[in-house]
Amino acid sequence: MCAGCLFEDRDWRGANLHPVLSFFAQSCFGYPLSIFFIVVNEFCERFSYYGMKAILILYFTNFMGWNDNLSTAIYHTFVALCYLTPILGAPMADSWLGKFKTIVSLSIVYTIGQAVISISSISDLTDHNHDGIPDNLPTHVALSMIGLALIALGTGGIKPCVSAFGGDQFEEGQEQQRSRFFSMFYVAVNAGSLLSTIITPMLRVQQCGIYSQQACYPLAFGVPAALMAVSLIVFVMGSSMYKKYQPQGNVMAKVVKCIGFAIKNRFRHRSKRFPKREHWLDWAKEKYDERLISQIKMVTRVMFLYIPLPMFWALFDQQGSRWTLQATTMNGKMGAIEIQPDQMQTVNPILIIIMVPVFDGVLYPLIEKCGFNFTSLRRMTAGMFLAAMAFVAAALVQVEIDKTLPVFPKGNEVQIKVLNIGNGNMTVSLPGKMVTLGAMSQTNEFMTFHVDKLARINISSAGSPVTAVTQDFMPGQRHTLLVWAPNHYRVVNDSLNKKPEKGENGIRFVNTFNELISVTMSGKVYENITSYDASQYQFFPSGIKTFTMNSSKILPPCPHDFKSSYLGFGSAYTYVIKRKDDGCAEVKEFEDISPNTVSMALQIPQYFLITCGEVVFSVTGLKSSYSQAPSNMKSVLQAGWLLTVAVGNIIVLIVAGAGQISQQWAEYILFAALLLVVCVIFAIMARFYTYVNPAEVEAQFDEDEKKKNREKSDPYALPDPDFHTRL
């Protein structure tokens, strides 16, 4: 128990507590102890959600083998569902189960969903094809989609309930403590997000023996699942301390019915014989009281301002999809630290924790002292502009990345690299070029030829006849010409006609022994590589990899175990297995594709811009819309706000699904331009918006009701209570 905690001898209903239960009615520094269970619950839940979400896009591309567009579409479909399901959770809490039972019930669904997606990522290495994709992929896909659907229902359903349930724990006169609770709640959200986006990518790159292809997705998904179970347990532990109000009816249903009746009534009386009414909602006065109609008017005015907002979220939520995929084409080595692509998302919560107090304590007061009226809607407009600039920065980074990418053959071109794996010098004559290579060497780069001009390639060596290469080269492909004697060669189709995705490294082996050799590298097997031939590429994350060769010709005391050089991000290498003079094997490394050179640190400016945009847009927008809504309509606006996030992700889904933009930088510019247009529209809408004080409006209704009640109780009372005084 903390110092300063005081015991209270009455529960929240005012009844005396049993002495044994007196512990549960205590407060700490004026705060109900129940809120600490809620804050811990939120921390664990956000850890679970953001930890799973941080690695989700790479799970789709790495494990499922989906392309970037499909992975992005599925990712944003899931996020959209997470922000659509609050529409189900809020009515469930308001009109049926109450907040406590709703949170517990949907948290169970949530935990099951996390467990299912963790199970879906478990597979045996023998269950994968040569590309590392599970052979029984439909089973893994089905389990993953079921898990994600349950998670979307769970996290979205409890989203509008948890913070409101925390606010319910305070008494009248505790407004200051309630305000600080929401600050603690926000810190818990960002702390959970920050830690999970650091930890789960670290778990992903661990090796899980036979239960992974090259990354430990079961562990990376399993830890968030365990944290969700902890979240549920912690929340239930505080059950006896909570104030649990009974459902008071579905406010959202009343709003929808009133709006529907107003539209229907207006359509029914569209004849000119009926006089026009000041507001279209006034057509509901025949059925609904004036207070409710006035409250809905305030809500619809705010909802109208929500129309342009989804475009902001369309850009903001691409941090977990497009920006993460962009990071896979960059170098995560920063001094002694190595950042994984999905860990770059931690920049956002780190900056949030820094920038919120900077904006609130420094920037806003400074702007106010300068005499500029930086209203809430102007702040939101500035947030949109900053997010658009973040995507301009992302486009500039993408241009720099594209400059470092290797040139690959077009449809009518062929690229050839010559690799001499023999012991003598070899000369190869190609159309317009002649290269001479010493033992165990290769050409500096791939040479590009038009497919119709590859009429003749000759191999020669001193004192040996010329050998013509008879091979049909596949257009649009890279090929490696292996030579080891004047009349011995082999043409290998590289099957790697683009830079390795996901920041991984392609590794293949060339066997120069006169027998089959198998190689096992970091749990992956290159089985039965034939003599003087190359294996297929297999892909590995960054770092130094160990591999073991299995051959009956490599006898003790010759070593069987070897280590690769440090593998960066996005490279490809050929390892030639060669016999030394002493009969032991040695390995020579040749670079096929150079590693990524653009540092992930270049993404920090775009993260900084979009985080500043989030602070002035999201935090300000939610607070402002709450201040403009009646007290009983907060949940309606909460659902409306979350709906804008869902629509934003649907916008990304549509753009990614179309997939018509070949250049990624151009897609970033497109999103930035769209948001700038929306920003101008929102600024115009904000210019004509008039701020109201819902408390004053409701107070006026309360006064009118009191006056009507006085008149009903005393039919002889004069309408003016001050009449006798003035008389």
PDB file of all heavy atoms in Angstrom, residues 140-166:
ATOM      1  N   HIS A 140      -2.895 -22.117 -42.635  1.00  0.00           N
ATOM      2  CA  HIS A 140      -2.302 -20.983 -41.910  1.00  0.00           C
ATOM      3  C   HIS A 140      -3.070 -19.690 -42.184  1.00  0.00           C
ATOM      4  O   HIS A 140      -3.290 -18.885 -41.266  1.00  0.00           O
ATOM      5  CB  HIS A 140      -0.838 -20.812 -42.308  1.00  0.00           C
ATOM      6  CG  HIS A 140       0.047 -21.940 -41.873  1.00  0.00           C
ATOM      7  ND1 HIS A 140       0.542 -22.046 -40.598  1.00  0.00           N
ATOM      8  CD2 HIS A 140       0.515 -23.027 -42.543  1.00  0.00           C
ATOM      9  CE1 HIS A 140       1.284 -23.135 -40.495  1.00  0.00           C
ATOM     10  NE2 HIS A 140       1.285 -23.747 -41.661  1.00  0.00           N
ATOM     11  N   VAL A 141      -3.485 -19.498 -43.440  1.00  0.00           N
ATOM     12  CA  VAL A 141      -4.240 -18.292 -43.785  1.00  0.00           C
ATOM     13  C   VAL A 141      -5.584 -18.275 -43.062  1.00  0.00           C
ATOM     14  O   VAL A 141      -5.990 -17.253 -42.496  1.00  0.00           O
ATOM     15  CB  VAL A 141      -4.443 -18.200 -45.313  1.00  0.00           C
ATOM     16  CG1 VAL A 141      -5.403 -17.066 -45.665  1.00  0.00           C
ATOM     17  CG2 VAL A 141      -3.110 -17.985 -46.014  1.00  0.00           C
ATOM     18  N   ALA A 142      -6.277 -19.423 -43.063  1.00  0.00           N
ATOM     19  CA  ALA A 142      -7.592 -19.495 -42.410  1.00  0.00           C
ATOM     20  C   ALA A 142      -7.483 -19.192 -40.916  1.00  0.00           C
ATOM     21  O   ALA A 142      -8.268 -18.408 -40.368  1.00  0.00           O
ATOM     22  CB  ALA A 142      -8.207 -20.873 -42.637  1.00  0.00           C
ATOM     23  N   LEU A 143      -6.501 -19.801 -40.253  1.00  0.00           N
ATOM     24  CA  LEU A 143      -6.319 -19.548 -38.816  1.00  0.00           C
ATOM     25  C   LEU A 143      -5.962 -18.085 -38.560  1.00  0.00           C
ATOM     26  O   LEU A 143      -6.462 -17.465 -37.600  1.00  0.00           O
ATOM     27  CB  LEU A 143      -5.227 -20.459 -38.255  1.00  0.00           C
ATOM     28  CG  LEU A 143      -5.594 -21.932 -38.061  1.00  0.00           C
ATOM     29  CD1 LEU A 143      -4.369 -22.739 -37.654  1.00  0.00           C
ATOM     30  CD2 LEU A 143      -6.688 -22.076 -37.002  1.00  0.00           C
ATOM     31  N   SER A 144      -5.112 -17.527 -39.407  1.00  0.00           N
ATOM     32  CA  SER A 144      -4.717 -16.128 -39.229  1.00  0.00           C
ATOM     33  C   SER A 144      -5.913 -15.194 -39.371  1.00  0.00           C
ATOM     34  O   SER A 144      -6.093 -14.260 -38.578  1.00  0.00           O
ATOM     35  CB  SER A 144      -3.636 -15.740 -40.244  1.00  0.00           C
ATOM     36  OG  SER A 144      -2.474 -16.507 -40.066  1.00  0.00           O
ATOM     37  N   MET A 145      -6.744 -15.436 -40.381  1.00  0.00           N
ATOM     38  CA  MET A 145      -7.894 -14.564 -40.594  1.00  0.00           C
ATOM     39  C   MET A 145      -8.910 -14.684 -39.457  1.00  0.00           C
ATOM     40  O   MET A 145      -9.517 -13.693 -39.034  1.00  0.00           O
ATOM     41  CB  MET A 145      -8.574 -14.895 -41.934  1.00  0.00           C
ATOM     42  CG  MET A 145      -7.694 -14.613 -43.161  1.00  0.00           C
ATOM     43  SD  MET A 145      -7.072 -12.910 -43.264  1.00  0.00           S
ATOM     44  CE  MET A 145      -5.364 -13.123 -42.754  1.00  0.00           C
ATOM     45  N   ILE A 146      -9.094 -15.903 -38.937  1.00  0.00           N
ATOM     46  CA  ILE A 146      -9.984 -16.089 -37.784  1.00  0.00           C
ATOM     47  C   ILE A 146      -9.433 -15.340 -36.578  1.00  0.00           C
ATOM     48  O   ILE A 146     -10.170 -14.637 -35.869  1.00  0.00           O
ATOM     49  CB  ILE A 146     -10.155 -17.588 -37.460  1.00  0.00           C
ATOM     50  CG1 ILE A 146     -10.933 -18.291 -38.582  1.00  0.00           C
ATOM     51  CG2 ILE A 146     -10.861 -17.789 -36.119  1.00  0.00           C
ATOM     52  CD1 ILE A 146     -10.960 -19.806 -38.453  1.00  0.00           C
ATOM     53  N   GLY A 147      -8.129 -15.481 -36.343  1.00  0.00           N
ATOM     54  CA  GLY A 147      -7.510 -14.789 -35.218  1.00  0.00           C
ATOM     55  C   GLY A 147      -7.636 -13.284 -35.341  1.00  0.00           C
ATOM     56  O   GLY A 147      -7.985 -12.596 -34.371  1.00  0.00           O
ATOM     57  N   LEU A 148      -7.376 -12.748 -36.538  1.00  0.00           N
ATOM     58  CA  LEU A 148      -7.457 -11.299 -36.725  1.00  0.00           C
ATOM     59  C   LEU A 148      -8.892 -10.799 -36.579  1.00  0.00           C
ATOM     60  O   LEU A 148      -9.124  -9.700 -36.051  1.00  0.00           O
ATOM     61  CB  LEU A 148      -6.905 -10.918 -38.101  1.00  0.00           C
ATOM     62  CG  LEU A 148      -5.392 -11.086 -38.282  1.00  0.00           C
ATOM     63  CD1 LEU A 148      -4.987 -10.762 -39.718  1.00  0.00           C
ATOM     64  CD2 LEU A 148      -4.621 -10.201 -37.308  1.00  0.00           C
ATOM     65  N   ALA A 149      -9.869 -11.592 -37.038  1.00  0.00           N
ATOM     66  CA  ALA A 149     -11.274 -11.190 -36.878  1.00  0.00           C
ATOM     67  C   ALA A 149     -11.656 -11.121 -35.402  1.00  0.00           C
ATOM     68  O   ALA A 149     -12.340 -10.178 -34.964  1.00  0.00           O
ATOM     69  CB  ALA A 149     -12.183 -12.173 -37.615  1.00  0.00           C
ATOM     70  N   LEU A 150     -11.218 -12.102 -34.619  1.00  0.00           N
ATOM     71  CA  LEU A 150     -11.512 -12.093 -33.179  1.00  0.00           C
ATOM     72  C   LEU A 150     -10.806 -10.922 -32.489  1.00  0.00           C
ATOM     73  O   LEU A 150     -11.377 -10.272 -31.603  1.00  0.00           O
ATOM     74  CB  LEU A 150     -11.084 -13.417 -32.547  1.00  0.00           C
ATOM     75  CG  LEU A 150     -11.856 -14.663 -32.993  1.00  0.00           C
ATOM     76  CD1 LEU A 150     -11.241 -15.925 -32.382  1.00  0.00           C
ATOM     77  CD2 LEU A 150     -13.324 -14.556 -32.596  1.00  0.00           C
ATOM     78  N   ILE A 151      -9.563 -10.643 -32.890  1.00  0.00           N
ATOM     79  CA  ILE A 151      -8.834  -9.509 -32.306  1.00  0.00           C
ATOM     80  C   ILE A 151      -9.540  -8.199 -32.642  1.00  0.00           C
ATOM     81  O   ILE A 151      -9.695  -7.321 -31.777  1.00  0.00           O
ATOM     82  CB  ILE A 151      -7.383  -9.484 -32.815  1.00  0.00           C
ATOM     83  CG1 ILE A 151      -6.601 -10.682 -32.257  1.00  0.00           C
ATOM     84  CG2 ILE A 151      -6.686  -8.188 -32.410  1.00  0.00           C
ATOM     85  CD1 ILE A 151      -5.243 -10.873 -32.891  1.00  0.00           C
ATOM     86  N   ALA A 152      -9.970  -8.041 -33.894  1.00  0.00           N
ATOM     87  CA  ALA A 152     -10.662  -6.813 -34.300  1.00  0.00           C
ATOM     88  C   ALA A 152     -11.938  -6.620 -33.499  1.00  0.00           C
ATOM     89  O   ALA A 152     -12.248  -5.504 -33.052  1.00  0.00           O
ATOM     90  CB  ALA A 152     -10.969  -6.857 -35.798  1.00  0.00           C
ATOM     91  N   LEU A 153     -12.695  -7.695 -33.296  1.00  0.00           N
ATOM     92  CA  LEU A 153     -13.921  -7.614 -32.501  1.00  0.00           C
ATOM     93  C   LEU A 153     -13.606  -7.260 -31.057  1.00  0.00           C
ATOM     94  O   LEU A 153     -14.280  -6.427 -30.441  1.00  0.00           O
ATOM     95  CB  LEU A 153     -14.678  -8.936 -32.566  1.00  0.00           C
ATOM     96  CG  LEU A 153     -15.953  -9.034 -31.713  1.00  0.00           C
ATOM     97  CD1 LEU A 153     -16.963  -7.971 -32.146  1.00  0.00           C
ATOM     98  CD2 LEU A 153     -16.563 -10.432 -31.815  1.00  0.00           C
ATOM     99  N   GLY A 154     -12.554  -7.870 -30.504  1.00  0.00           N
ATOM    100  CA  GLY A 154     -12.204  -7.640 -29.106  1.00  0.00           C
ATOM    101  C   GLY A 154     -11.665  -6.247 -28.862  1.00  0.00           C
ATOM    102  O   GLY A 154     -12.187  -5.503 -28.028  1.00  0.00           O
ATOM    103  N   THR A 155     -10.617  -5.867 -29.597  1.00  0.00           N
ATOM    104  CA  THR A 155      -9.996  -4.560 -29.337  1.00  0.00           C
ATOM    105  C   THR A 155     -10.924  -3.410 -29.696  1.00  0.00           C
ATOM    106  O   THR A 155     -10.987  -2.396 -28.990  1.00  0.00           O
ATOM    107  CB  THR A 155      -8.653  -4.422 -30.093  1.00  0.00           C
ATOM    108  OG1 THR A 155      -7.998  -3.237 -29.664  1.00  0.00           O
ATOM    109  CG2 THR A 155      -8.840  -4.370 -31.593  1.00  0.00           C
ATOM    110  N   GLY A 156     -11.673  -3.562 -30.790  1.00  0.00           N
ATOM    111  CA  GLY A 156     -12.603  -2.502 -31.159  1.00  0.00           C
ATOM    112  C   GLY A 156     -13.784  -2.413 -30.213  1.00  0.00           C
ATOM    113  O   GLY A 156     -14.243  -1.316 -29.882  1.00  0.00           O
ATOM    114  N   GLY A 157     -14.265  -3.565 -29.750  1.00  0.00           N
ATOM    115  CA  GLY A 157     -15.421  -3.567 -28.865  1.00  0.00           C
ATOM    116  C   GLY A 157     -15.155  -2.927 -27.517  1.00  0.00           C
ATOM    117  O   GLY A 157     -16.022  -2.247 -26.949  1.00  0.00           O
ATOM    118  N   ILE A 158     -13.938  -3.125 -26.985  1.00  0.00           N
ATOM    119  CA  ILE A 158     -13.636  -2.557 -25.664  1.00  0.00           C
ATOM    120  C   ILE A 158     -13.099  -1.135 -25.760  1.00  0.00           C
ATOM    121  O   ILE A 158     -13.025  -0.430 -24.752  1.00  0.00           O
ATOM    122  CB  ILE A 158     -12.629  -3.434 -24.886  1.00  0.00           C
ATOM    123  CG1 ILE A 158     -11.241  -3.411 -25.537  1.00  0.00           C
ATOM    124  CG2 ILE A 158     -13.138  -4.852 -24.745  1.00  0.00           C
ATOM    125  CD1 ILE A 158     -10.184  -4.155 -24.745  1.00  0.00           C
ATOM    126  N   LYS A 159     -12.743  -0.706 -26.973  1.00  0.00           N
ATOM    127  CA  LYS A 159     -12.094   0.608 -27.135  1.00  0.00           C
ATOM    128  C   LYS A 159     -12.933   1.754 -26.570  1.00  0.00           C
ATOM    129  O   LYS A 159     -12.407   2.608 -25.842  1.00  0.00           O
ATOM    130  CB  LYS A 159     -11.776   0.832 -28.618  1.00  0.00           C
ATOM    131  CG  LYS A 159     -10.726   1.902 -28.873  1.00  0.00           C
ATOM    132  CD  LYS A 159     -10.475   2.049 -30.357  1.00  0.00           C
ATOM    133  CE  LYS A 159      -9.787   0.848 -30.939  1.00  0.00           C
ATOM    134  NZ  LYS A 159      -8.388   0.717 -30.517  1.00  0.00           N
ATOM    135  N   PRO A 160     -14.250   1.838 -26.868  1.00  0.00           N
ATOM    136  CA  PRO A 160     -15.014   2.970 -26.332  1.00  0.00           C
ATOM    137  C   PRO A 160     -15.437   2.788 -24.880  1.00  0.00           C
ATOM    138  O   PRO A 160     -16.049   3.692 -24.310  1.00  0.00           O
ATOM    139  CB  PRO A 160     -16.245   3.013 -27.251  1.00  0.00           C
ATOM    140  CG  PRO A 160     -16.434   1.610 -27.670  1.00  0.00           C
ATOM    141  CD  PRO A 160     -15.067   1.002 -27.762  1.00  0.00           C
ATOM    142  N   CYS A 161     -15.124   1.633 -24.279  1.00  0.00           N
ATOM    143  CA  CYS A 161     -15.620   1.318 -22.932  1.00  0.00           C
ATOM    144  C   CYS A 161     -14.594   1.554 -21.829  1.00  0.00           C
ATOM    145  O   CYS A 161     -14.948   1.992 -20.731  1.00  0.00           O
ATOM    146  CB  CYS A 161     -16.079  -0.138 -22.867  1.00  0.00           C
ATOM    147  SG  CYS A 161     -17.380  -0.565 -24.049  1.00  0.00           S
ATOM    148  N   VAL A 162     -13.308   1.244 -22.078  1.00  0.00           N
ATOM    149  CA  VAL A 162     -12.330   1.204 -20.997  1.00  0.00           C
ATOM    150  C   VAL A 162     -12.086   2.590 -20.408  1.00  0.00           C
ATOM    151  O   VAL A 162     -12.137   2.781 -19.188  1.00  0.00           O
ATOM    152  CB  VAL A 162     -10.998   0.588 -21.492  1.00  0.00           C
ATOM    153  CG1 VAL A 162      -9.970   0.588 -20.366  1.00  0.00           C
ATOM    154  CG2 VAL A 162     -11.221  -0.829 -21.989  1.00  0.00           C
ATOM    155  N   SER A 163     -11.821   3.587 -21.275  1.00  0.00           N
ATOM    156  CA  SER A 163     -11.550   4.922 -20.750  1.00  0.00           C
ATOM    157  C   SER A 163     -12.778   5.501 -20.060  1.00  0.00           C
ATOM    158  O   SER A 163     -12.676   6.149 -19.007  1.00  0.00           O
ATOM    159  CB  SER A 163     -11.079   5.847 -21.872  1.00  0.00           C
ATOM    160  OG  SER A 163     -12.065   5.943 -22.886  1.00  0.00           O
ATOM    161  N   ALA A 164     -13.966   5.268 -20.648  1.00  0.00           N
ATOM    162  CA  ALA A 164     -15.199   5.756 -20.016  1.00  0.00           C
ATOM    163  C   ALA A 164     -15.445   5.056 -18.686  1.00  0.00           C
ATOM    164  O   ALA A 164     -15.903   5.678 -17.720  1.00  0.00           O
ATOM    165  CB  ALA A 164     -16.381   5.532 -20.954  1.00  0.00           C
ATOM    166  N   PHE A 165     -15.139   3.763 -18.615  1.00  0.00           N
ATOM    167  CA  PHE A 165     -15.297   3.021 -17.356  1.00  0.00           C
ATOM    168  C   PHE A 165     -14.361   3.585 -16.290  1.00  0.00           C
ATOM    169  O   PHE A 165     -14.726   3.687 -15.110  1.00  0.00           O
ATOM    170  CB  PHE A 165     -15.000   1.541 -17.599  1.00  0.00           C
ATOM    171  CG  PHE A 165     -15.276   0.659 -16.411  1.00  0.00           C
ATOM    172  CD1 PHE A 165     -16.565   0.421 -15.975  1.00  0.00           C
ATOM    173  CD2 PHE A 165     -14.230   0.062 -15.715  1.00  0.00           C
ATOM    174  CE1 PHE A 165     -16.817  -0.389 -14.877  1.00  0.00           C
ATOM    175  CE2 PHE A 165     -14.457  -0.747 -14.622  1.00  0.00           C
ATOM    176  CZ  PHE A 165     -15.766  -0.981 -14.203  1.00  0.00           C
ATOM    177  N   GLY A 166     -13.142   3.971 -16.686  1.00  0.00           N
ATOM    178  CA  GLY A 166     -12.221   4.605 -15.743  1.00  0.00           C
ATOM    179  C   GLY A 166     -12.771   5.924 -15.242  1.00  0.00           C
ATOM    180  O   GLY A 166     -12.663   6.246 -14.048  1.00  0.00           O
TER     181      GLY A 166
END
